[in-house]
């Protein structure tokens, strides 16, 4: 299993792999960290956790399960042997990292070896899921059903039975599941202080003793359940009568709940504690004494000590195969175009505004980047670059709907046969309301339990004080005992090529349904994770200014006043006459890399000249350049298509105006030739920039427009909005999002080094602009991402540079069709008068010809005279469609000029 190119060591392991020390066969561990993991934030102090130092290539961080003395350790991969690889339904895999062909895991079968949790006596033979008793208790994240409500367990209160060195049994009530049967330590029982000592003394009649303590049993006595959604087959009046059930479930009420687990929750992993259905002849241990409180407890719990995993894989070409999990690797970085048979997609052509047409993927050729799609009742071959698998191109969708169709492993509600979900396929709604109480802070300012957690602790403690050591079995219901009662809910296990889907119901029955009859469940844990992600991303609207601009200000080159903003005039001085704009760019971006890419050589407008131009035409164009390509200009009013046009503007301070005057003087003199900036008299808080893609990159000769909002400037970084013109075709660059986000450390939208972040005393708009041109619009853009940088040298780099190249040509088309306000004349002059559009067409056709001839890299570079990006069949199909539209634009302009 090769990882990366032949330039570096082979990478063997991935997160959650089960490994063994070669020199110590009994040392079994789980891989927790790998060299190629993305490290978005500084790692913790390695003195606190031995796994938290930065890894070198060829190293992994492992948590060992059987060696307390070296439980967590970073080791060379050469010291380890791969025993098993944990995969689950819905995972995407490859045979090797160099393989462009990927597959989807359909099903997983794990067999295990077990040992008694306390005595460590081995159980004979391999055991499978069918041998286990899996429905005794619900765990955190499990789904439960009560009447017509589906909920999710979000917290537990446990009663743990602990054996102390004297052989006496002690009951330990506590919030949260931190212990497991068989766990031994000298510190399981809390120190006997305050109320805890009194409770222990009351319950067990003993004082805490020193020595090893062993967990022999665990009972969940209280469940906290967040109720998410109702049965969708109910009519409106019935649904309105179903009141949301209680939060806390204990005692006999637990027996009213039905446990609903998906296939993922049944996966067995190393270290799990399980029970067997057939207890005859298995090793057991007995604890406690007859006549004492609690009597004798028999322990028949077992720990998983070894696993072997077998998986069913659906490959992109439609073939299915059963393999060992260790013969596959996880696909670490699927992009917007990756799809698999059965997936619902939109066909959007060249991204030029064509109406999105829904389709179902039949097969995918990942090498040639093409797919066969069920489209309007027919099977058609299209380019992957013409597909939208995320639903971004559908302007009618609302943010809460999410992606297209459903995915394997998702939980769904089934609507009645004569009803549908209310959306037009392939859109599928999702429901699931996570009530506000779930989000309450766990602790008060003084460190005490807060909100519902405090109430849970009180309920659990009260139960503990009222019951004896005898175990009360409030068994949760197994849905298989109630066939047919939960046919309105289930897990998606497969997607059919006609667009329908197979659903596994909780009672084990299967059903096939059209997409229109299902609604996805919005998982509660997923909701919390989404909210956390949104909080980390931040919202541009949070920083918008309010009020009205009514301050009397003037633009000009008068001497700046000392406004106290901390920005030194000498740092904002205009460059020396001898200093070139390229030199300025290299200097200013040296410490601002969002992804550690080296600066690329910036192009000049001279590179756009056609070899077919006559000398006289060239001289005329050069004399007109200053008039038609003014790099910095202040316009009277902001254009309505500016991303922040609708925002309110606050009264500018003298500090703000002083800073802008200095920055704009620098922009007038120091902008690289291929960057234009426009400011506005009526909105000093708005700026618009146009960047022409640098030469020797996939972005060469293409226009990129970014709008800026100066909010609390310069104390905070300016807000940036990138005008993505992909129309749902995916990101043109990993740093430039379709929704407009610009991911860059200097803008504080990327957690880079502290020295790379925005600093009011030294950062500027110029630095932000040249950072985007020199560090984002680069030759191999996909390696800007931390995790992707470590894949440099693989086929995926070429694939994604192709994507950037094709999408960028469409930026030319859409910008010419609808020029951005304030740049209309410049765009027309550059692409028509300056004949850059002819060059774009000529270069692209040369690349198509060279790719079709399958020339060598050197021959391609010589023939195309540009950055070599060998195009796949799919890339050629998509690019030719764009070129047809560009040629039409050129023809129309040429005819109108006659």
């Amino acid at each position: 299993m090769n990882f990366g190119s032949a330039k570096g060591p082979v990478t063997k392991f991935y997160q959650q792999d089960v490994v063994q020390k070669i020199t110590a066969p009994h040392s079994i561990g789980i891989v927790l960290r790998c060299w190629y993991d993305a490290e978005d934030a500084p790692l913790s102090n390695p003195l606190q956790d031995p796994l938290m130092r930065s890894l070198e290539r060829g190293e992994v961080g492992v948590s060992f399960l059987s060696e307390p003395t070296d439980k967590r350790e970073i080791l060379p991969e050469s010291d380890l042997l791969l025993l098993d690889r944990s995969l689950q339904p819905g995972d995407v895999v490859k045979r090797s990292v160099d393989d462009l062909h990927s597959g989807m895991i359909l099903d997983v079968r794990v067999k295990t070896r077990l040992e008694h949790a306390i005595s460590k006596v081995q159980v004979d033979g391999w055991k499978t899921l069918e041998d286990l008793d899996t429905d005794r208790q619900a765990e955190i994240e499990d789904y439960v059903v009560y009447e017509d409500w589906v909920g999710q367990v979000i917290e537990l209160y446990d009663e743990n039975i602990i054996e102390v060195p004297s052989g006496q049994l002690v009951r330990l009530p506590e919030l949260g599941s931190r212990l497991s049967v068989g766990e031994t330590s000298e510190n399981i029982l809390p120190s006997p202080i305050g109320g805890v000592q009194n409770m222990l003394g009351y319950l067990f009649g003993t004082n805490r003793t020193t020595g090893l303590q062993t967990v022999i049993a665990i009972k969940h006595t209280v469940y906290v359940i967040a109720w998410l959604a109702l049965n969708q087959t109910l009519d409106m009046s019935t649904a309105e009568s179903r009141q949301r059930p209680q939060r806390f479930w204990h005692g006999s009420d637990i027996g009213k709940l039905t446990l609903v687990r998906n296939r993922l929750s049944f996966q067995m992993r190393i270290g799990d504690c399980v029970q067997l259905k057939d207890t005859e002849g298995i090793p057991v241990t007995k604890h406690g004494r007859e006549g004492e409180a609690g009597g004798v407890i028999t322990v028949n719990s077992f720990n998983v000590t070894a696993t072997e995993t077998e998986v069913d894989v659906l490959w992109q070409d439609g073939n299915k195969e059963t393999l060992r999990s260790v013969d596959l690797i996880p696909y670490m970085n699927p992009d917007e175009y990756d799809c698999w048979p059965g997936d619902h997609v939109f066909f959007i052509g060249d991204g030029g505004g064509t109406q999105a047409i829904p389709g179902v993927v039949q097969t995918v050729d990942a090498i040639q980047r093409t797919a066969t799609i069920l489209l309007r009742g027919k099977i058609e071959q299209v380019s992957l670059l013409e597909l939208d698998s995320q639903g971004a191109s559908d302007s009618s969708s609302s943010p809460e709907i999410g992606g297209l169709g459903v995915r394997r492993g998702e939980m769904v509600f089934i609507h009645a046969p004569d009803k549908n979900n209310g959306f037009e396929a392939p859109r599928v709604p999702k429901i699931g309301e996570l009530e506000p109480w779930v989000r309450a802070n766990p602790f008060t300012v003084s460190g005490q339990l807060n909100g519902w957690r405090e109430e849970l602790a009180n309920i659990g403690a009260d139960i503990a004080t009222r019951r004896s050591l005898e175990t009360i079995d409030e068994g949760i219901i197994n849905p298989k005992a109630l066939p047919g009662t939960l046919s309105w809910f289930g897990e998606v296990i497969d997607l059919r090529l006609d667009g329908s889907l197979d659903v596994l119901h909780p009672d084990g029955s299967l059903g096939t349904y059209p997409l229109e009859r299902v609604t996805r469940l919005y998982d509660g844990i997923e909701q919390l994770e989404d909210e956390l992600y949104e909080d980390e991303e931040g919202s541009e609207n949070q920083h918008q200014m309010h009020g009205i601009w009514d301050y009397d200000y003037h633009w000009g080159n008068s001497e700046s006043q000392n406004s106290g903003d901390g920005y030194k005039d000498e740092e904002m001085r205009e460059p020396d006459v001898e200093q070139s704009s390229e030199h300025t760019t290299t200097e200013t971006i040296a410490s601002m890399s969002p992804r550690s890419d080296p600066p690329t050589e910036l192009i000049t407008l001279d590179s756009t000249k056609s070899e077919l131009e006559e000398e006289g035409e060239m001289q005329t164009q050069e004399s007109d350049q200053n008039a038609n390509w003014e790099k910095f200009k202040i316009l009277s009013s902001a254009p309505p298509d500016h991303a922040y046009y609708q925002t309110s503007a606050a009264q500018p301070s003298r500090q703000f105006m002083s800073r802008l005057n200095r920055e704009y003087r620098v922009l007038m003199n120091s902008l690289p030739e291929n960057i234009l900036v426009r400011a506005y008299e009526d909105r000093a808080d708005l700026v618009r920039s146009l960047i022409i893609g640098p030469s020797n990159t996939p972005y060469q000769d293409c226009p990129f427009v970014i709008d800026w909002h100066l909010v609390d400037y310069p104390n905070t970084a300016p807000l940036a909005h990138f005008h993505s013109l992909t129309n749902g075709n995916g990101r043109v660059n990993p740093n430039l999002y379709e929704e407009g986000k610009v991911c860059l450390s200097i803008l504080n939208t990327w957690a880079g080094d502290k020295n790379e972040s925005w600093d009011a005393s030294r950062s500027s708009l110029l630095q932000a602009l040249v950072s985007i041109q020199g560090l984002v619009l680069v030759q191999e853009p996909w390696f800007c991402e931390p995790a992707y940088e470590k894949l440099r040298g693989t086929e995926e780099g070429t694939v994604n540079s192709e994507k950037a190249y094709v999408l960028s040509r469409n930026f030319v088309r859409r910008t010419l069709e609808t020029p951005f306000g304030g740049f209309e004349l410049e765009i027309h002059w550059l692409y028509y008068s300056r004949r850059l559009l002819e060059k774009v067409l000529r270069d692209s056709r040369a690349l198509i010809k060279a790719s079709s001839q399958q020339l060598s890299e050197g021959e391609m570079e010589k023939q195309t005279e540009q950055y070599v990006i060998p195009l796949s069949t799919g890339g050629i199909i998509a690019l030719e469609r764009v070129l047809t539209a560009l040629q039409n634009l050129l023809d129309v302009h040429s005819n109108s000029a006659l």
Side-chain angles (χ1 to χ4, degrees), residues 652-670:
S653 65
R654 189 171 299 278
Q655 172 188 350
F656 176 82
M657 298 309 303
S658 175
R659 173 62 176 262
L660 281 192
N661 274 307
R662 290 201 296 271
E663 288 219 28
Y664 286 168
R665 285 203 308 276
V666 173
L667 291 174
M668 289 176 188
N669 295 280
S670 303

Side-chain angles (χ1 to χ4, degrees), residues 595-665:
R595 307 289 195 274
S596 303
D597 280 314
T600 58
E601 180 183 354
L602 303 179
I603 69 170
T604 67
L605 290 180
D606 289 341
S607 67
T608 68
K609 298 173 186 175
S610 170
E611 293 179 357
L612 302 178
E613 292 176 310
E614 297 179 359
E615 186 68 25
E617 292 176 326
M618 292 173 63
Q619 292 175 355
T620 301
Q621 289 178 351
E622 288 170 0
S623 65
D624 290 341
Q625 178 168 326
N626 289 338
N628 293 283
W629 197 255
E630 192 170 346
K631 290 185 287 186
F632 179 82
K633 188 185 296 185
I634 300 174
L635 305 179
S636 60
S637 59
D641 63 348
H642 194 288
Y644 300 103
Y645 184 79
Q646 297 297 330
T647 61
S648 299
Q651 178 176 320
S653 65
R654 189 171 299 278
Q655 172 188 350
F656 176 82
M657 298 309 303
S658 175
R659 173 62 176 262
L660 281 192
N661 274 307
R662 290 201 296 271
E663 288 219 28
Y664 286 168
R665 285 203 308 276

Side-chain angles (χ1 to χ4, degrees), residues 87-215:
L87 297 171
Q88 61 192 50
D91 278 353
V92 185
V93 294
K94 292 184 174 185
R95 296 183 188 275
S96 75
V97 74
D98 289 320
D99 190 1
L100 293 179
H101 195 56
S102 63
M104 177 75 66
I105 300 294
L106 298 180
D107 199 9
V108 177
R109 291 172 296 278
V110 182
K111 62 180 184 180
T112 68
R113 290 196 180 276
L114 306 176
E115 67 177 16
H116 193 270
I118 295 176
S119 69
K120 308 305 179 185
V121 175
Q122 299 284 329
V123 177
D124 292 337
W126 290 93
K127 301 298 179 182
T128 66
L129 183 62
E130 288 69 29
D131 297 317
L132 303 185
D133 182 1
T134 57
D135 298 316
R136 289 189 172 187
Q137 299 187 116
E139 305 297 338
I140 293 177
E141 297 189 28
D142 276 346
Y143 299 111
V144 291
V145 172
Y146 175 69
E147 293 183 343
D148 288 298
W149 279 93
V150 173
Q152 195 166 21
V153 178
I154 61 169
E155 188 56 276
L156 302 166
Y157 195 92
D158 286 348
E159 286 190 9
N160 309 287
I161 299 180
I162 314 298
E163 185 178 54
V164 297
S166 65
Q168 194 172 19
L169 301 183
V170 176
R171 187 182 299 275
L172 173 65
E174 65 174 6
L175 185 151
S177 297
R178 69 180 178 95
L179 300 174
S180 59
V181 175
E183 187 172 343
T184 59
S185 171
E186 294 184 352
N187 302 304
I188 293 177
L189 294 175
S191 299
I193 57 176
V196 174
Q197 180 185 24
N198 294 336
M199 179 176 287
L200 290 175
Y202 173 75
L203 289 174
F204 316 118
T206 182
N207 291 321
R208 181 175 183 271
T209 57
T210 59
L212 285 179
Q213 304 144 22
T214 303
V215 181

Side-chain angles (χ1 to χ4, degrees), residues 243-540:
Q243 297 299 312
R244 194 181 295 268
Q246 67 219 42
R247 304 176 193 175
F248 303 105
W249 292 73
H250 51 88
S252 60
D253 282 348
I254 294 177
K256 301 174 184 178
L257 299 173
T258 302
L259 176 62
V260 177
R261 283 181 165 162
N262 56 16
R263 291 177 298 167
L264 174 59
S265 63
F266 287 122
Q267 296 303 313
M268 293 178 287
R269 301 179 185 273
I270 296 288
D272 283 354
C273 187
V274 300
Q275 289 80 38
L276 291 167
K277 291 178 182 176
D278 184 1
T279 59
E280 185 176 352
I282 64 173
V284 297
T285 57
K286 296 183 182 295
H287 305 265
R289 303 184 182 93
E290 294 290 349
E292 293 187 358
V296 176
I297 294 179
T298 300
V299 177
N300 56 2
S301 296
F302 301 87
N303 291 333
V304 176
T305 59
T307 59
E308 285 189 7
T309 304
E310 181 183 76
V311 297
D312 295 335
V313 185
L314 171 64
W315 296 105
Q316 287 179 298
D317 61 8
N319 290 321
K320 294 182 179 180
E321 194 172 8
T322 298
L323 296 165
R324 297 186 309 157
S325 64
V326 293
D327 294 329
L328 300 166
I329 66 167
Y331 182 11
M332 302 299 294
N333 54 325
D335 63 25
E336 296 99 330
Y337 302 109
D338 280 309
C339 50
W340 296 269
D343 282 356
H344 288 265
V345 296
F346 278 124
F347 172 72
I348 52 177
D350 54 26
T354 305
Q355 182 180 2
I357 304 170
V360 181
V361 176
Q362 307 293 296
T363 62
V364 174
D365 185 336
I367 296 175
Q368 293 303 323
R369 304 286 276 175
T370 61
T372 57
I373 307 293
L374 178 61
L375 206 61
R376 294 166 292 200
K378 296 181 180 179
I379 305 295
E380 299 185 24
Q381 184 184 47
V382 301
S383 167
L384 286 180
L385 301 181
E386 299 176 316
L387 296 181
D388 170 17
S389 62
Q390 310 297 318
S393 61
D394 185 9
S395 59
S396 64
S397 68
S398 55
E400 66 271 12
I401 298 305
L404 304 181
V406 293
R407 298 287 182 261
R408 295 169 180 88
E410 287 187 320
M411 304 300 290
V412 294
F413 294 93
I414 312 299
H415 294 264
D418 59 338
K419 304 291 184 182
N420 59 53
N421 58 30
F423 285 76
E424 185 176 350
R427 288 290 180 187
V428 176
K430 59 182 178 183
I431 58 173
E433 180 190 4
L434 198 62
E435 294 182 286
W437 63 265
V438 177
R439 303 174 180 85
N441 290 328
F443 301 102
T444 64
V445 176
S446 60
Q448 302 299 311
L449 286 174
N450 181 51
W452 60 268
R453 291 177 179 84
E454 181 184 16
E455 189 175 353
L456 168 62
N458 291 335
I459 294 172
D462 181 64
I463 291 173
T465 58
R466 289 187 292 104
R467 58 187 284 164
S468 69
L469 285 176
E470 297 173 359
T471 300
I472 302 174
D473 187 11
E474 309 94 345
I476 202 164
I477 300 173
N478 183 338
K480 293 184 178 180
L482 304 171
T485 58
L486 287 176
S487 58
W488 48 269
F489 189 63
E491 177 186 0
V492 177
I493 62 169
D494 205 3
L495 307 178
R496 298 197 173 198
L497 299 183
D498 63 358
S500 61
L501 55 145
D502 293 336
V503 175
L504 177 64
H505 296 296
D507 63 0
S509 63
L510 284 171
T512 301
Y513 305 96
L515 202 61
E516 296 85 350
R517 279 189 59 196
V518 302
T519 289
R520 291 178 289 150
L521 173 65
Y522 195 5
D523 178 272
I525 306 300
E526 179 188 352
Q527 290 184 54
L528 293 175
E529 291 174 348
D530 288 347
E531 290 170 9
L532 178 62
Y533 175 78
E534 290 172 1
D535 289 342
E536 291 173 349
E537 291 290 294
S539 170
E540 294 180 349

Side-chain angles (χ1 to χ4, degrees), residues 761-782:
S761 66
R762 59 179 175 81
S763 303
S764 67
L765 277 171
L766 176 63
Q767 288 175 311
L769 288 165
V770 296
S771 293
I772 292 170
Q773 186 183 47
L775 298 169
V776 174
L777 301 177
V778 295
Q779 190 175 93
E780 295 182 295
W782 255 251

